[in-house]
Amino acid sequence: MKRDRQQQEILGEAVRNAFLKLDPRIQWKNPVMFIVFLGAILVAVLAVRAFMAGNTQEGWFDLHIDLWLWFTVLFANFAEAVAEGRGKAQAESLRKARKSLQAKKIKADGSFEIVGSEAIRKGDIVLVEAGDTIPNDGEVIEGMASVDESAVTGESAPVIRESGGDKSSVTGGTKVLSDWIKVRVTTNPGETFLDRMIGLVEGAKRQKTPNEIALTLLLVGLTIIFLFAVVTLEPFAIYSGTVISVTALVALLVCLIPTTIGGLLSAIGIAGMDRLLGRNVLAMSGRAVEAAGDVNVLLLDKTGTITLGNRMATEFIPATGITAGELADAAQLASLADETPEGRSIVVLAKEKYGLRERDLTHLQAEFIPFTAQTRMSGIDIVDARIRKGSMEAMQNYVSELGGAFPAEVRSACENIAHQGGTPLVVAKDKQVLGVIYLKDIVKGGIKERFSELRKMGIKTIMITGDNQLTAAAIAAEAGVDDFLAEATPEAKLKMIRSYQQQGMLVAMTGDGTNDAPALAQADVGVAMNSGTQAA
């Protein structure tokens, strides 16, 4: 329904723009249709003269021809307007996302009021709780929270944001997953991250494809040839004593010149765009659909494109003296109430690998401990034990406070997992460390073979990710891409795309976050993965 409504809006705007494009300053950019445009004006003048002279038969003939000429021009304008409307819809969707954000603005008496993000000004303080979206860029001045920044960085793993230090900066459009923070806004409306994304989308320049340039030159050449051919018919007619009206000559010229190709080029592109859109491929202009077949470089956002998008448990690594089954049993218990993809994957892995089924927790007097940004761990308290899972640093502090020791082999396992691009999750029962859960960003099945096929076709594949160099290198090697760009920002993506385009290459870009919107707009072909960004 939402897509249908957007299509109707684009078509309605295209009808209006079809008439606005009758401006001669716009028409002359398409030589073939400019000839038709001039012919429509000339025949309209002739029709008026015929009616004024009382020659109604000739006048109706001229009017009939003129209506078809204007219809041809307007249809070509309409097709072009639809193609342009799709690109403009990207920036507009980002504007709507910005306007829809609500904020809890803190008043002088400590209470808060709900206001739109456009009413927030630099220096205002807002409260952002679990489930809320941060309305504007700012600095955390109080509290600590887990924040999903995937819309900004493209990285699925949440990050901790707290007051003080280098982890206090937050970006408008990101979402708080747990706890709460108070944010002092540092930007005014029009200066936020989303505004910067809109500016980058609207400022993106799209190059013409080689096929489009060659076809344009061919159409111009054919138009000139047939124009001379039609002009010479009048002297021959006079010589043979035959009268040919100017309207008939104009109609003949329009029929001879490649009007159909010139007028329907955008319409053909739109038909191709609709077919591609059904496969989540966005051609960035109606005339550049053929770019999908001429792509030289394919840039792929890692999270959700090359990988599944969520970290999944792949292995239980027990500490000395602990069996893998014991570690899996404790890890599953600690994850039964964890609704995150990571938590669910731990339960599934324990069930599939060690046959551990869901158990009745009533007699265990279980109390689940949710994850918080302060503790950076979660778990369960049962009748005779406390089981926790969390990051290495958090679990090291937890065990130390209880008087336990953190095994050297567990620390080494955590470091090895990190070097391989994974995420270690330590499990402890009371003050004893049981081992490590290996969380991994899973590369999609068959992706390496697909990249190999693209390489044979002469297409270079480049992975783009917000991960650090070490993690990016590990995943790039596993996926089999030709190159990668780590710690990528929206500006870095644009710079890379423009660099390849300046070398005469056609670039395709895949993405699924708001941070990918400018790159999708700059690329010759954009591919929206999964649910994608609103701009996609």
Side-chain angles (χ1 to χ4, degrees), residues 12 28 67 188 220 238 302 405 438 531:
W28 77 269
L67 289 176
N188 289 317
V220 171
I238 295 173
K302 184 206 76 175
Y438 187 168
S531 58

Side-chain angles (χ1 to χ4, degrees), residues 50 66 77 101 129 157 213 287 292 333-334 351 398 422 428 443 457 469 482 530 535:
D66 195 46
N77 291 348
L101 295 181
E129 299 177 300
I213 295 173
R287 294 183 174 181
L333 278 172
K351 182 187 297 184
Y398 173 75
V443 173
M457 295 166 60
Q469 290 282 345
D482 296 317
N530 301 323

